[in-house]
Amino acid sequence: MPGLTVKDLEKLQVQHPDYRMELVSGEIIVMSPSGYESDEVAAEIIRLLGNWVRPRKLGRVTASNAGFILPNADKDVRAPDASFVRAERLRRTTGDYAQLVPDLMFEVKSKTDSLSKLRQKIQEFLALGTQVGVLVDPRTRTMEVYRPGVEKVVLRDGDVLTVPELLPGWELVVAEVWAPEFD
């Protein structure tokens, strides 16, 4: 069914509300549920980010079900695992897909995800205006941090992610996002 539009995606989403879908180059991509570990890591990132952003009224933090209509030729609808949009760019929330790219986005690799496809997705967002994209891999306990025109930085346990251009003072300790082990 190539050549599909946002309206087609919305109709399919109404017909199949239990499926997560993205619209990429006119094709519907059905997203399978992620593994438990990757979603637990994404939830922790969202919690830590939201706990910093909301009381300071810096913007909006969303999870993987928040769709963004991208400003590309295909009007793709994509949904990063975690996103931040500055308050001045989205003063009021919307019941529709946001028609912008997030300022900061995270993709958390699940067992079935392809690293190359996740990197490609981050690069597409950066090319469209996202300022920082982070690829999180729970298995290797690494974060690849991407910014336009700059070499990626790889963070590991013992490192701290900062995004001073968007969130001055915010720090995300890499080792604190991984799923805990209980004895």
Side-chain angles (χ1 to χ4, degrees):
M1 291 197 283
L4 298 176
T5 66
V6 173
K7 293 287 184 207
D8 297 318
L9 174 63
E10 289 172 340
K11 286 178 192 172
L12 281 169
Q13 204 64 82
V14 168
Q15 293 170 358
H16 305 283
D18 295 333
Y19 295 126
R20 277 188 53 231
M21 300 177 201
E22 290 185 337
L23 177 64
V24 182
S25 300
E27 294 185 22
I28 301 292
I29 308 296
V30 177
M31 312 294 286
S32 66
S34 64
Y36 194 90
E37 177 185 41
S38 59
D39 196 58
E40 188 175 10
V41 169
E44 185 64 5
I45 290 168
I46 291 164
R47 185 185 72 78
L48 293 168
L49 183 57
N51 284 348
W52 177 266
V53 167
R54 193 161 204 169
R56 292 165 180 81
K57 299 181 180 180
L58 299 174
R60 303 180 184 284
V61 175
T62 56
S64 62
N65 284 327
F68 293 87
I69 296 177
L70 303 183
N72 61 5
D74 293 321
K75 298 292 183 205
D76 291 343
V77 178
R78 306 297 305 264
D81 292 323
S83 303
F84 165 72
V85 176
R86 289 177 290 135
E88 59 268 18
R89 295 188 59 231
L90 191 58
R91 294 215 176 271
R92 299 210 187 295
T93 196
T94 176
D96 295 321
Y97 302 122
Q99 294 193 32
L100 48 73
V101 293
D103 295 290
L104 168 64
M105 50 107 51
F106 291 83
E107 285 294 328
V108 181
K109 185 186 182 309
S110 69
K111 183 177 168 181
T112 57
D113 283 333
S114 154
L115 279 171
S116 63
K117 285 187 179 180
L118 292 175
R119 288 179 181 122
Q120 179 183 358
K121 182 176 180 179
I122 289 171
Q123 291 304 321
E124 289 170 5
F125 272 80
L126 292 173
L128 294 170
T130 294
Q131 293 183 42
V132 180
V134 183
L135 173 56
V136 181
D137 189 342
R139 280 163 202 77
T140 61
R141 295 174 69 106
T142 59
M143 291 185 185
E144 297 176 6
V145 184
Y146 296 88
R147 289 174 167 87
V150 179
E151 284 234 8
K152 78 176 176 189
V153 174
V154 179
L155 303 177
R156 295 177 170 75
D157 288 348
D159 294 328
V160 176
L161 171 65
T162 60
V163 189
E165 64 269 42
L166 296 172
L167 303 165
W170 180 66
E171 294 184 344
L172 181 66
V173 177
V174 172
E176 290 181 5
V177 302
W178 313 126
E181 293 184 16
F182 305 111
D183 294 327

